[in-house]
Amino acid sequence: MATQQEILNATNEYIIPNYGQRMRAMVRGEGARLWDADGNEYIDLFAGFGGAGVCGHCHPVIVEAVRKQAGLLMAHGNFFTNEPQVELARRITEQAFGGKVFYCHSGTEANEAALKLMRLAAGPGRYKIITFENCFHGRSMGALSLTPGKYQTGFEPMLPGSVVVPYNNLAAVADAIDDETAGVLIEPIQGEGGINVPSKDFMQGLRKLCTDKNILLACDEVWTGPARTGKWFAHQHFDIQPDVMTLAKAIGGGMPVGACVAAPKYADVLGPGTHGCTMGGMPVCAAAGAATMKLIADENLVERAAQRGEKVAQAIRDANISCVKEVRGAGFFIGIQVDKPARDVFVAALDAGLFICPAREHVVRLAPPLTIADDLLEKGVGMVIDLLRR
Ligand code: PMP
């Protein structure tokens, strides 16, 4: 087997450098642990950037579902359907707000579907989508147009109709709505923006405003769903229902699944011929997703995220670390605001055998698998506290 350095060198030679210099070459994962090609072990408190999902790396039930389905049928195209995709959609809609599901593979694609759905539902001439400062919705041109800031540099012009307002500010949203507005797209808790939690008044006001103005409310739950924040979906913290919800990362249990969920009123807006994705909903990924949703229910992972997450946040607050200005978030979606470069903490953590992640300049993020064993969690959080103290 190649050494880590050999794989890193080959990566530099053959792989486009859009992610910058890769830091490790990974070979194995189990629960909340990862191993690199030199055999070094890491505690993963970021769940493979959310992609390893809420059940951790290579959960045996998900691995078995993938193995079984891979031996039966992997792809058949969307003239046909399959049971795993129906099972996954049933589980999502039952825990969310009913309606129907469109499948793709990633968060950005799920948001492209939501954008098209919102424009189609709103009707001719209503094309504007309101999003928020510090949001993140993806890198494809539609989703990128809805993601203000540095991500757009060099790729202009953006899609017309993207309107950006401050997060958690209802008056700003009200001011921004006009006759050309199709809808609002919001992360119910911002992830890449630094784990920002809006107020319940704001989210409930936003729901009412969208209803009153007859525009759609879409929640981007690519990071926050399912179960991560201590609810099945983060919008449930605010006792509201969106018209559209987008999912990716954890919903595939380690396999690429993106989903755009439309509430009953909008469930048939994307009618025949309006949208598509050749590999969307194919049975191997869908089986992994369905197994994930079943595991979350069977193992009470929603409650576990809520309880353990609060304990972790409190432990970091109680440690009284001088560089820590705030600890915020919900469930296992935790942001630590620090007054030193968050990236330095991330790099030092990796060298110490711990995967955590920076957001913007000054936020350190924790998003462990919800299945992480208590002793491993304690060890990992202890390491985070030590690193922050340095
Ligand atoms: N929406 C949110 C809230 C995200 O955090 C991300 C990625 N971090 C995306 C969309 C894009 O997801 P993907 O990388 O799967 O396209």
Side-chain angles (χ1 to χ4, degrees):
M1 204 174 80
T3 65
Q4 172 144 258
Q5 196 53 55
E6 285 166 353
I7 301 171
L8 289 169
N9 291 346
T11 301
N12 288 339
E13 189 174 350
Y14 294 112
I15 306 293
I16 286 179
N18 59 303
Y19 300 110
Q21 178 62 47
R22 306 298 179 92
M23 307 181 85
R24 299 287 189 281
M26 294 303 184
V27 290
R28 191 161 79 84
E30 188 185 314
R33 293 186 301 164
L34 276 170
W35 286 267
D36 70 23
D38 289 344
N40 300 306
E41 184 177 330
Y42 302 83
I43 300 175
D44 183 358
L45 292 190
F46 208 56
F49 221 104
V54 289
C55 302
H57 298 278
C58 301
H59 191 291
V61 171
I62 300 174
V63 171
E64 184 47 33
V66 168
R67 280 215 173 98
K68 190 171 151 221
Q69 186 57 51
L72 280 171
L73 179 64
M74 294 207 269
H76 53 61
N78 282 308
F79 283 127
F80 310 120
T81 183
N82 62 69
E83 193 172 358
Q85 72 166 259
V86 181
E87 170 70 2
L88 175 56
R90 182 182 67 74
R91 287 184 178 274
I92 293 171
T93 54
E94 277 178 9
Q95 296 301 342
F97 41 79
K100 295 182 183 176
V101 176
F102 165 82
Y103 288 116
C104 48
H105 322 288
S106 64
T108 203
E109 285 173 283
N111 285 325
E112 294 293 330
L115 169 60
K116 285 179 73 175
L117 192 159
M118 284 196 276
R119 281 194 174 183
L120 212 55
R126 288 173 57 195
Y127 65 100
K128 292 183 184 168
I129 308 286
I130 296 170
T131 62
F132 296 87
E133 289 171 5
N134 297 318
C135 69
F136 188 91
H137 298 299
R139 305 279 196 160
S140 52
M141 285 308 296
L144 181 66
S145 299
L146 303 175
T147 301
K150 61 179 180 183
Y151 307 101
Q152 298 182 351
T153 307
F155 301 107
E156 302 89 348
M158 292 293 123
L159 207 65
S162 168
V163 180
V164 181
V165 301
Y167 197 57
N168 208 22
N169 182 332
L170 196 61
V173 185
D175 278 352
I177 296 173
D178 64 23
D179 293 344
E180 295 175 329
T181 306
V184 174
L185 174 63
I186 187 165
E187 291 161 88
I189 298 177
Q190 287 186 332
E192 303 310 311
I195 317 290
N196 304 315
V197 187
S199 71
K200 193 164 185 173
D201 279 356
F202 169 74
M203 289 300 281
Q204 293 195 339
L206 184 63
R207 174 64 278 182
K208 186 172 182 310
L209 186 61
C210 290
T211 304
D212 291 349
K213 298 282 182 183
N214 197 26
I215 62 173
L216 285 84
L217 175 61
C219 282
D220 179 339
E221 299 235 18
V222 166
W223 241 126
T224 51
R228 171 145 303 284
T229 68
K231 295 279 185 189
W232 273 97
F233 301 104
H235 65 261
Q236 293 165 345
H237 286 289
F238 310 103
D239 297 323
I240 61 160
Q241 290 189 349
D243 302 305
V244 178
M245 170 173 74
T246 53
L247 299 168
K249 293 194 197 280
I251 196 69
M255 298 290 281
V257 176
C260 176
V261 188
K265 183 177 173 192
Y266 298 102
D268 296 322
V269 168
L270 287 179
T274 55
H275 199 48
C277 180
T278 302
M279 294 292 280
M282 288 305 103
V284 178
C285 296
T292 300
M293 288 295 282
K294 184 171 186 310
L295 274 170
I296 293 170
D298 292 352
E299 300 192 0
N300 294 320
L301 295 181
V302 176
E303 293 74 18
R304 192 161 200 277
Q307 290 162 2
R308 299 298 199 285
E310 187 42 46
K311 268 191 171 171
V312 168
Q314 199 52 47
I316 297 167
R317 281 186 204 110
D318 290 348
N320 272 322
I321 308 161
S322 64
C323 75
V324 172
K325 299 300 149 203
E326 191 188 9
V327 183
R328 55 182 182 252
F332 266 157
F333 201 43
I334 299 170
I336 309 166
Q337 183 85 37
V338 290
D339 68 2
K340 60 182 177 188
R343 195 181 155 81
D344 293 352
V345 183
F346 157 65
V347 173
L350 213 50
D351 289 339
L354 180 73
F355 179 35
I356 54 178
C357 194
R360 301 172 67 205
E361 257 91 88
H362 293 113
V363 182
V364 173
R365 287 183 291 173
L366 309 182
L370 313 188
T371 49
I372 186 170
D374 284 335
D375 54 347
L376 197 62
L377 181 62
E378 206 174 304
K379 185 174 172 199
V381 172
M383 288 169 77
V384 171
I385 290 172
D386 283 348
L387 285 156
L388 290 169
R389 280 223 171 94
R390 269 188 214 165

